[in-house]
Amino acid sequence: MTRRNIELVLLCVAAPIVVLLFAMLAVNQGQSLGLTTLGVPIGIFAAFVIAHLAVRRFAPKSDPAILPIAFALSGIGIAFITRLAPYADKSSIAINQVMWLFLGVVCMVLVLVLFRNLDKVANYKYTLMIVGFALLLSPLLPVIGQEIYGSRIWIGIPGVFSFQPGEIAKIAIVLFLAGYLAQNREMLSVFTWRAGPFNLPDIRTLLPLLLMWLVALLIVVFEKDLGSALVFFFVFLIMLYVATGKKFYLVVGLGLIAVGGVGAYLAFGHVQTRVDIWLDPFADAQDTGYQLVQSLYSIADGDLFGVGLGRGLAGGGNGLPQIPVAESDFIFTIIAEEIGLLGAAGVLLLFLCFAIRGFVTAARAKSDVSSFVAVGLTSIVVLQAFIIVGGITRLIPLTGITLPFISQGGSSLLASFIIVGFLLRCGDEGTGVGEEMASATTSLHANSVLGRVSLGKRLTSGMRIFAVLFALLVANLTLIMVVQANYYQNMPGNNHTLAKESRTERGTISTYDGVILAQSVQQEDGTYERVYPAGNLATHIVGYASTQFGTSGIEAAENDTLKGQQNFASWTDVLNSLAGIGAPGNDVTLTLNSKIQQAAQDALSGYAGACVVMDPETGAVLGMASSPTYDAADFAAEIEKANANPDGESTLLNRAIQTLYAPGSTFKIVTLATALEDGVASEDTVFSSPGTMDIGNAPVTNFNKNSYGDITLARATELSSNTVFGQLGVEMGAEKLVDGADKFGFNRKIDFTLNTATSLMAEPDEMTKWELAWSAAGEPVNPQNHPSPAGPQATVLEMALVGCAIANDGAIMNPYLVEGVYNANGERSFTATPNKFLQAVSKETANRVKDVLKGVVTNGTGTAAALPGVEVAGKTGTAEKENGNDSWFVGMAPADNPRVVVAINLELADEGMGTERAQNVLRTALQVQGLL
């Protein structure tokens, strides 16, 4: 098959890809498929068929793949520009881009017609140099020079037209360099200075490299165009290496880039800004880093297959504004988001194929000029693609250049097709290896195949470099779109995730008895607003879900479930999630009972504090209250108040699980159970209970310094004697006391639905005798200021678990809040299963302690907790503080077979107030369970 027939076949292979993109776009916009919607891709294909016929006539021996690659890339570009057009500053950009494409094809054909011999063109190399540099620097001229988006790279009349002369300048400069290098490559290859074992070039040989470096710096300084400067200098460096084969130039060139880069960073603010954005775009995500941050969010959403053409957020029209200059600098972001990693990698593969065919053309070229032209022009396209894609994916600092063939912009597209025309001309001048070998039998010259063996090696090295660069791009894309996708999507400031969630019906949160605590209500614009119809009921547990403030509580802990991304009830749910098909989120049912929860909240009325109600057999939390509380509908105002006063105590704080308290005498449950379990004492062991006594050369006192004489340990528990328990603590020792507390959950992370503070005990080897005595009585002191914290310090949840251990034969079950999860069809996908957390003490010890605690309620400090018709066991506590006392109670009922455990603490309350308030909570819980 001839080269031109192969070209035609490849054009026909690329055509369905372009047509498919336009068809997908039409379907997404609700349009029917026909000539009206598919006229543009058909017209583009017709233009390339005409170009193919021109190539058959004027360049029949040229490379067969370059034109089809240009067709595929430009077709993809116009498809995405058409997608972006309705949301761009100018809706006519798609029509303009098509017109520029047709003009570009005409210019490509004109190149083939007018430039039949590139060696003759090289005769005008210095004229090309002057033209090239004049065009490159023309934006610096007054009046016609324009600065747009911070870069002065445009000329034109404001409001009428604008053009980037640098795009054409690069082509003219490559033609100049090709002629210059072809004429002087031998001179540039000879190093005459001797420095020890090294041969070095003289200043005349280095002068072109230094001049090009200075021109690149001028572009950075005066035009503020870092991207063009990099392309300009790297293209020259590659051409110089291919011409001479001297790696010394590469080393020196990279060194000059490093020196120039550091100098530019230190001297110019716009370069510093670019680097700072690259290092941490999220530091200023709403200003200087906005474009890059939005780009990363969009690319991360693309996954393998994309969100669908026209459905991405970066391109506008789906709830968020379009990324600035999305149609030019950031068009690859749109591609990655909407056709995914596979589509984006396919686009990069097309550029790599363009590089391969360009270098193959260079290898086949019959003259040095044609070879160097092919290398230079190919490098322009490939380097621009690498630099802009690397910038928007944060592989390298972002620079404002276009993606060849794809980005919107007439200057760029026109230059890209002129480059294609010259590459086709270079290929048509190729002689092929067979002809070169035949001519070599009669003559040897600089351009013979023997002279080109080394050239082939250099081109191979250059191609390997390009392959590595594009492999890095694909690897970086994979990192963002697959490995780190969840990280980016779950960032608190990701407005893309928040916008998508606002259009998804989030699942409800309800109590076990059916009271809805949170639900989503659809608004007129199609978004959903989160509402909390139960007012302040369980607000600290439910938390909030906000596009501004993020999530907290169950809204945060079960976020993926409520969004429908976890806990699937059926394979249909799984497939819908994988396909990105929107579906209502899952409903979460809590273990809370609304009546018990309300009773727990009522018990805290007038006080700061917390109350926890649990089922000791399962670990289900039946109620969890914290005071002060707030109305869930006003959470935004509460957050703003908390932010305005960060050092104050916020109503958002869940004191039941996030505040550590001195547990006071309720900790004596732990001390008593540990003593009985270890055989240190029994219920009948007699202790002296004076109102105050010295232990460890410091006083330990009973409440109000009450003296009880000689009493048993059981009676000391009923009366809550600190002096007795201080003696007991010293008798058992710090090791046993701390180890016993550890078995009840102190110094352990509790596996709970919500984030919970860890209850604390001191290191036993750091505790003094006096500290040990007070710890056994439930008061944390730290006279030596040792490194470990004073203990005990406990959350109200922890003290509820202590009560559960005694109520449940010594076993502590893992506490949990979520009873079940259901999809929108009511199908259950999750059911909580109780499991053991710890075995604190044996069943026998738990029953012995429970019998003692019965006496606290019937004949001790806890009589206010007694209920008619049911026996209650429990322990009171008063945590003494300088500014007042906290009032505790930990209780359980029915005492013989406890079904409910209550732990409550009221800050700065009168003695016994916690016990009085706990009684009503116990009563309500027993009534709900039908036990009273």
Side-chain angles (χ1 to χ4, degrees), residues 540-541 604 607-612 624-630 648-661 754-757 759 794-799 881 886 888 903-907:
H540 290 96
I541 294 175
L604 302 176
Y607 296 94
C611 180
V612 175
M624 177 182 285
S626 176
S627 179
T629 187
Y630 61 96
E649 290 195 352
S650 169
T651 58
L652 299 170
L653 178 67
N654 187 344
R655 285 169 164 79
I657 58 175
Q658 294 171 338
T659 300
L660 292 175
Y661 294 102
L754 306 179
N755 290 329
T756 305
S759 298
T795 62
V796 177
L797 175 63
E798 170 58 32
M799 295 315 297
K881 300 188 296 186
D886 292 349
W888 279 88
I904 188 172
N905 179 39
L906 303 178
E907 298 179 25

Side-chain angles (χ1 to χ4, degrees), residues 88-138:
D89 294 336
K90 295 181 180 179
S91 58
S92 61
I93 58 172
I95 297 174
N96 293 341
Q97 190 74 356
V98 173
M99 299 307 297
W100 277 109
L101 182 141
F102 290 153
L103 181 59
V105 172
V106 170
C107 289
M108 178 190 74
V109 174
L110 287 176
V111 167
L112 294 177
V113 174
L114 299 177
F115 297 93
R116 299 296 186 94
N117 189 324
L118 294 182
D119 287 342
K120 292 182 179 179
V121 174
N123 293 332
Y124 302 93
K125 54 182 174 291
Y126 292 108
T127 302
L128 289 167
M129 178 190 73
I130 295 171
V131 171
F133 284 118
L135 287 172
L136 192 65
L137 301 176
S138 60

Side-chain angles (χ1 to χ4, degrees), residues 815-864:
Y816 64 94
L817 273 170
V818 177
E819 186 278 331
V821 175
Y822 303 81
N823 70 4
N825 297 322
E827 299 170 307
R828 183 185 280 262
S829 62
F830 169 78
T831 300
T833 302
N835 57 86
K836 185 191 288 189
F837 175 37
L838 293 167
Q839 184 69 39
V841 291
S842 66
K843 177 179 179 180
E844 178 188 358
T845 299
N847 288 333
R848 289 168 65 186
V849 173
K850 187 165 54 180
D851 288 340
V852 174
L853 298 184
K854 291 178 186 177
V856 173
V857 177
T858 58
N859 192 34
T861 58
T863 55

Side-chain angles (χ1 to χ4, degrees), residues 15 39 179 193 330 347 394 418 452 571 598 609 674 691 728:
W193 284 4
F330 284 86
V347 170
R394 205 182 161 199
I418 292 174
R452 295 201 173 275
W571 280 107
Q598 189 62 59
T674 302
L728 180 62

Side-chain angles (χ1 to χ4, degrees), residues 4 26 77 99 146 176 179 192 302 304 599 694 710 728 798 851 853 903:
R4 300 284 62 81
M99 299 307 297
Q146 297 180 7
F176 153 68
T192 57
L304 285 176
D694 283 351
D710 293 337
L728 180 62
E798 170 58 32
D851 288 340
L853 298 184

Side-chain angles (χ1 to χ4, degrees), residues 52-95:
H52 161 74
L53 296 176
V55 173
R56 277 184 179 272
R57 170 69 177 82
F58 297 107
K61 295 181 182 180
S62 61
D63 189 272
I66 291 176
L67 187 66
I69 293 172
F71 168 52
L73 289 172
S74 56
I76 292 170
I78 291 180
F80 276 93
I81 291 170
T82 303
R83 176 262 182 271
L84 295 171
Y87 314 103
D89 294 336
K90 295 181 180 179
S91 58
S92 61
I93 58 172
I95 297 174

